[in-house]
């Protein structure tokens, strides 16, 4: 008999790796609690129309990737129902918000979730058919301030804090605005006109979308179509003054909070419910599937599935991708020396050898540079081989106080010579 295996695109998570999953989830719960979020758990399957009406018929998710089946009627009084394993959790949260009349509290609802999602995508590194998301949504009636750009900035700042606390370094926040529903409608018309002469040279999906939902052409992954897509107009030109002001206020609040971001005019995201702010946090270590997380504002979503006006903003992180990133980082870190010792001038070579001896005898892995190197060369070599650099100049030698720079955090610390072993033995992410 053939042995049974986990279905393609699904996998078992085993110890010790599950400890890392638990650590990520515990960090998320602890950070989200400080921002006063509570947990919501929605069903893993929902009525199919929930996703087609929110995520959008023309999206890849709904048109190609959902696990959908017809659920037989058990009795004559019951109707057969089309059900779908949730491909994402925002639609389910908004359905629950409407069903439980959470808007009637008059308060902002701040809800987070952790759980599996299902999409029939081509499996590859960081992309699975059952994957896990950690996400959150902030929504409520406009009178509760749910449209305020402050909410967008607060969510983004929370994400930066979460990634920093988890110890993920080297992320980039990419930010855009896709405008209001009216702006998007205008942009769709602009795109439709621009696409009319180009579509016949594009892939069959784009040919269809050029007519039905032109914005989705921007999600096309077919390499031959990319040069044509690059010539299409940008959404920024279609934003009205209110959308521009909202976006400017989000950026001003991020600047004030010290959260770094880059603007990406092409970031329209692959789901139809977005309005105004859209974002992704990407990471270079992930390869082709480089989005650690994605999200944005969805001011019309509740109404589109029959609910009251309830603007909102949220995100979902790919937990599988957080795990991959942390594992890669930990593997790289264990190969790095605790510190690179850089003597400042050849006269410091001998004292540096003596200091390196002290540190190595203390059990540390030390890379010893050379006083003949220029400082820039020492820094370049240090970044490749060690987690930190220690500069040994005449002043440091005399005072016995050394400056240690940590590459991951960028922080410089002054440490007395006698304390160096203890200081360097501590993990770099504290
Ligand atoms: P999404 O961009 O479709 O957005 O997914 C969010 C994140 O889930 C992605 O950035 C990625 O890290 C992860 N992800 C998606 N598909 C896969 C997969 N097949 N395998 C592994 N990881 C994956 C949403 O789902 C929206 N609901 C986010 C949101 C919440 N927007 C507003 N509120």
């Amino acid at each position: 008999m053939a042995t049974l295996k986990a279905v393609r695109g699904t996998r078992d998570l085993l110890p010790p790796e599950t400890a890392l999953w638990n650590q990520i989830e515990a960090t998320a719960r602890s950070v989200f609690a400080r921002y006063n979020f509570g947990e919501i758990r929605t069903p893993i399957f929902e009525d199919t129309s929930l996703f087609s009406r929110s995520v959008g018929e023309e999206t890849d998710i709904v048109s190609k990737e959902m696990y959908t089946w017809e659920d037989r009627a058990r009795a004559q009084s019951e109707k057969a129902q089309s059900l779908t394993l949730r491909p994402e959790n925002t639609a389910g949260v908004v359905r629950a918000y409407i069903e439980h009349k959470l808007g009637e509290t008059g308060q902002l609802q701040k809800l987070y979730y952790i759980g599996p999602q299902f999409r029939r995508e081509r499996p590859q590194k960081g992309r699975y058919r059952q994957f896990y998301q950690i996400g959150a949504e902030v929504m409520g009636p406009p009178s509760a301030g749910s449209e305020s750009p402050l909410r967008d900035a607060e969510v983004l700042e929370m994400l930066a804090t979460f990634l920093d606390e988890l110890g993920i370094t080297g992320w980039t926040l990419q930010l855009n605005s896709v405008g209001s529903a009216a702006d998007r409608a205008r942009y769709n018309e602009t795109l439709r006109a621009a696409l009319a002469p180009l579509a016949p040279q594009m892939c069959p999906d784009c040919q269809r979308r050029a007519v039905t939902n032109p914005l989705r052409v921007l999600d096309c992954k077919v390499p031959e179509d990319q040069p044509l897509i690059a010539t299409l107009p940008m959404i920024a030109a279609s934003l009205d003054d209110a959308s521009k002001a909202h976006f400017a206020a989000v950026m001003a609040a991020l600047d004030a909070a010290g959260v770094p971001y880059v603007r990406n005019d092409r970031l329209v995201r692959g789901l139809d419910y977005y309005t105004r702010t859209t974002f992704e946090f990407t990471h270079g270590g992930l390869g082709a599937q480089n989005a650690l997380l994605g999200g944005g504002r969805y001011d019309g979503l509740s109404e589109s599935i029959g609910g009251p006006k309830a603007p909102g903003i949220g995100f979902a992180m790919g937990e599988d991708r957080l795990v991959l990133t942390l594992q890669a980082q930990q593997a790289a870190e264990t190969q790095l020396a605790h510190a690179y010792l850089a003597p400042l001038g050849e006269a410091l070579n001998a004292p540096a050898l003596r200091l390196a001896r002290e540190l190595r005898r203390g059990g540390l892995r030390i890379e010893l540079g050379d006083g003949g190197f220029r400082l820039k060369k020492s820094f370049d070599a240090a970044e490749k081989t060690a987690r930190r650099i220690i500069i040994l100049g005449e002043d440091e030698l005399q005072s016995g106080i050394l400056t240690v720079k940590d590459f991951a955090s960028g922080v410089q610390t002054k440490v007395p010579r006698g304390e160096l072993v203890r200081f360097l033995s501590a993990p770099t992410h504290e």
Side-chain angles (χ1 to χ4, degrees), residues 88 90 119 121 126 128 133 137 269 273-274 291-292 314-315 318:
E88 62 101 53
T90 308
R119 297 183 193 174
E121 294 193 83
Y128 311 97
Q133 282 187 341
E137 314 294 344
R269 310 260 306 127
Y273 51 61
Y274 290 115
L292 277 176
F315 63 85

